[in-house]
Structure formats: C-alpha cells, structure tokens
C-alpha cells in the first residue's frame, strides 16, 4: 500500500472506533515530518520553515488523562456559538506561523492558538497550567493531541531550560524531549 492508502484506511478505522475522526493523526503517523493539512488535503512542508523547526527544541508534556471522548468534544465544538470566528482566527495564526522564523514570535503564536482552543472549550485547567509554565520558561506553548486532557507542547527557551525542567518536575509533570 502507498502512504495515501495507509492514511485513508487508518482514518476510516479511527472514525469507526471513535464515531468521528480527523485525517490529522493518521496522516502525521503515515507521512511523518512537517505537514500542512487543510480541508483534508495533506501537504509536506519543506524549505525554510522545516529548517527553522529543526533548529527548535520542544518538550511534549503529558498532563492528564482525557476526560471525554473525541466524538463528544467534536460535537461540543460544533455547537459553539463562536466557532466560525475562532476557526478563522486559528487559520490566521497558522498562516502567520508558516512565515515566522523567529522563536519568540512562533512561541507567541502557539500561545495565541492555545487561548483560542481554550475559548472553544477543549482545554482543561491542568493543560492551561502547563501552558502558563511554557510561556514563563519557554517561548510559548499550546495543547496538542486529542484535547480535553492529554498533552502540551512547549517551545523551549534553552537559556531557561533548567528552570523549565525544574518547574515541570516540581509539579510532577512528565515530559519528553522531541526535536
């Protein structure tokens, strides 16, 4: 099977099991690397943005077990009265991030994105707490993954990395380095 066939089968399995699905998870696992996914169209990203991301250091922090199923959260978001405006703002942030090669600016965009996801109601107090740690000791942070619990990704400011690690350890938050 080629990558497109594998990603498509994975998507349909996820949809069958969870009731709803996004191509994001199965595409990320199948195609690997840096991807742009818009309207279920998958495009690999290269060039300057890819090189910039390679120079960044990220921590993925496991914060808590999810409290809701993906399908429940998707249904809640679908009913959110401001969802169209929030998604438009998220789209604007994504467009800016594709042209940002500065860690400070990229981190701010991550944090702005998190605030919009929080406004959608898919964050939790624990995720918000870890995002604040990431903003204090890193360039920025946002929830990532299945939402409603789960993980936060932090763009590490290597000059404050020891303080960041100490703060995460003090709060008993598991973290994993990814590059």
């Amino acid at each position: 099977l080629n990558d497109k066939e594998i990603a498509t089968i994975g998507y349909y399995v996820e949809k069958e099991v969870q009731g709803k699905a996004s191509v994001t998870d199965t595409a990320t696992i199948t195609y690997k690397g840096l991807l742009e996914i818009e309207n279920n169209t998958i495009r690999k990203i290269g060039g300057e943005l890819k090189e910039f991301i390679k120079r960044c250091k990220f921590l993925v922090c496991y914060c808590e077990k999810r409290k809701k199923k993906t399908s429940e959260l998707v249904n809640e978001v679908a009913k959110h009265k401001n969802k169209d405006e929030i998604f438009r703002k998220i789209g604007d942030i994504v467009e800016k991030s594709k042209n940002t090669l500065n860690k400070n600016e990229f981190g701010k965009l991550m944090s702005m994105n998190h605030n919009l996801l929080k406004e959608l109601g898919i964050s939790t107090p624990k995720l918000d707490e870890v995002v604040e740690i990431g903003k204090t000791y890193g360039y920025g942070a946002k929830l990532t993954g299945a939402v409603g619990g789960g993980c936060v990704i932090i763009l590490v400011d290597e000059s404050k990395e020891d303080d960041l690690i100490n703060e995460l350890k003090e709060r008993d938050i598991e973290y994993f380095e990814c590059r």
Side-chain angles (χ1 to χ4, degrees):
L1 299 175
N2 64 39
D3 284 349
K4 184 175 182 180
E5 293 167 323
I6 292 168
T8 300
I9 291 168
Y11 164 77
Y12 283 111
V13 169
E14 183 178 7
K15 186 175 180 182
E16 178 70 26
V17 171
Q18 295 180 162
K20 297 214 179 214
S22 161
V23 299
T24 302
D25 291 343
T26 51
T28 302
I29 292 165
T30 304
Y31 293 98
K32 303 170 195 63
L34 193 57
L35 304 176
E36 178 179 9
I37 301 171
E38 185 175 4
N39 298 323
N40 291 337
T41 300
I42 302 156
R43 185 175 71 82
K44 286 195 102 159
I45 295 176
E48 287 183 312
L49 181 58
K50 181 178 179 180
E51 293 307 311
F52 166 71
I53 295 295
K54 284 168 109 178
R55 292 189 305 271
C56 292
K57 183 174 185 177
F58 295 94
L59 293 182
V60 176
C61 303
Y62 176 73
C63 301
E64 63 186 336
K65 186 175 178 176
R66 291 177 48 207
K67 295 170 178 64
K68 295 181 181 180
K69 292 182 179 181
T70 300
S71 58
E72 292 176 271
L73 287 164
V74 168
N75 288 330
E76 288 176 19
V77 168
K79 295 174 188 172
H80 194 285
K81 66 179 180 169
N82 297 325
K83 74 176 183 313
D84 293 334
E85 178 64 16
I86 293 170
F87 282 131
R88 185 194 60 72
K89 289 178 181 177
I90 289 172
D92 291 346
I93 289 170
V94 170
E95 286 306 310
K96 286 179 187 172
S97 73
K98 292 188 310 190
N99 298 305
T100 300
L101 304 176
N102 174 286
K103 290 179 185 179
N104 238 341
E105 183 62 26
F106 198 86
K108 286 179 186 174
L109 292 169
M110 289 174 66
S111 299
M112 289 169 59
N113 179 270
H114 177 80
N115 288 335
L116 291 167
L117 296 171
K118 182 179 173 181
E119 192 176 329
L120 277 175
I122 57 177
S123 188
T124 67
K126 186 68 173 183
L127 293 173
D128 297 340
E129 174 188 340
V130 177
V131 167
E132 286 304 313
I133 293 168
K135 286 167 51 179
T136 301
Y137 299 103
Y139 290 108
K142 67 179 290 301
L143 65 81
T144 187
V147 304
C151 298
V152 165
I153 186 165
I154 299 172
L155 176 53
V156 176
D157 177 343
E158 294 181 72
S159 71
K160 300 179 189 175
E161 185 174 5
D162 290 341
D163 293 331
L164 171 62
I165 298 297
N166 288 335
E167 188 68 25
L168 294 171
K169 285 180 178 177
E170 191 173 296
R171 296 179 191 232
D172 201 29
I173 297 167
E174 290 182 76
Y175 62 91
F176 307 89
E177 184 178 324
C178 83
R179 293 185 182 259

